[in-house]
Amino acid sequence: MQDDATTEQDTMVDERDDETLVRAFQNGQPMALATLYRRHRSRLFRLALVWLEDAELAEDAVQCVFERGVRGLPRFRFNASPFTWLYRTLRNVCHEIRRKQAVVAEPVDIVDAAPTLELQHARLQTAQRVRTLVQRLPPRQREVVMLRIFEELSVADTAASMGCRQGTVKALLHKAKAALLRQWQDENDD
């Protein structure tokens, strides 16, 4: 049974920003990393799922990121935001996993609770079509689409995550949108 002081301390940790949590972890508070995990797990999982196209591999990738966090965050120097560090670590882990995989897994079917089977089917087809179009983009364009559009990061956060300038993010996003529009129109013309 937890005492009131422990529960109050856990609540205080949950309300801290990411940098404060990393500093707390560096100062010997392991619950701070658990809070970072709860805060960013879903977002990192979605990104890993797009890259790996397999829910189990995506979950493994997220777990690996936080295992590396236990080793790497004590030396974190705050040259970037903690989420940027987590994102870059995830990107590296996903690249490692993809290199190890000889066969690409089938995409995960995502069907929401739509009122009709026809609507579910139409949504699923559209989602699969968009996923296919995004996967055809060059890697940097695909990455900027994932971060700016799907994860709704700011231009500055996207640039920091990708290790490039904000202008590069804007140019990549512009090219990616134009390419996606062309692909969409080409498919509809057929």
Side-chain angles (χ1 to χ4, degrees):
M1 185 169 162
Q2 293 183 339
D3 60 11
D4 291 336
T6 304
T7 305
E8 184 177 319
Q9 183 180 13
D10 291 345
T11 302
M12 287 175 36
V13 169
D14 284 337
E15 294 173 358
R16 297 180 189 174
D17 66 20
D18 289 351
E19 288 187 15
T20 304
L21 288 170
V22 171
R23 290 186 196 285
F25 179 73
Q26 290 174 335
N27 290 324
Q29 294 180 22
M31 289 306 297
L33 184 62
T35 300
L36 275 175
Y37 175 81
R38 284 191 305 274
R39 186 174 291 170
H40 295 294
R41 191 199 90 60
S42 295
R43 175 183 267 181
L44 294 173
F45 176 79
R46 286 191 308 269
L47 289 167
L49 188 59
V50 169
W51 278 322
L52 300 173
E53 299 180 351
D54 181 283
E56 287 183 39
L57 290 176
E59 188 62 45
D60 290 345
V62 172
Q63 290 297 324
C64 186
V65 166
F66 284 95
E67 288 169 9
R68 290 184 184 186
V70 170
R71 293 188 306 271
L73 286 176
R75 296 180 309 280
F76 188 72
R77 302 230 186 273
F78 300 94
N79 295 331
S81 73
F83 177 76
T84 299
W85 184 86
L86 291 169
Y87 167 77
R88 285 185 179 180
T89 303
L90 177 71
R91 183 174 59 182
N92 292 338
V93 167
C94 288
H95 287 314
E96 290 169 14
I97 290 172
R98 285 188 65 104
R99 277 194 300 267
K100 292 177 184 177
Q101 297 299 313
V103 178
V104 176
E106 289 296 315
V108 174
D109 291 338
I110 301 172
V111 180
D112 61 34
T116 65
L117 287 176
E118 294 83 19
L119 184 56
Q120 284 181 352
H121 183 68
R123 287 181 179 171
L124 179 60
Q125 283 185 319
T126 301
Q128 288 174 334
R129 191 170 166 203
V130 168
R131 173 186 274 166
T132 299
L133 295 177
V134 170
Q135 289 297 333
R136 289 181 191 164
L137 292 172
R140 296 286 283 176
Q141 289 180 20
R142 184 172 52 241
E143 188 173 7
V144 80
V145 166
M146 288 171 32
L147 293 173
R148 283 289 294 135
I149 295 174
F150 295 131
E151 289 302 317
E152 300 176 349
L153 291 183
S154 68
V155 171
D157 288 343
T158 301
S161 295
M162 293 178 66
C164 64
R165 295 178 177 201
Q166 291 182 30
T168 303
V169 168
K170 292 174 185 177
L172 286 169
L173 186 59
H174 177 75
K175 289 177 184 177
K177 286 179 177 180
L180 289 170
L181 181 60
R182 270 193 314 276
Q183 290 178 35
W184 187 271
Q185 290 171 339
D186 289 347
E187 284 189 7
N188 286 335
D189 290 342
D190 292 340

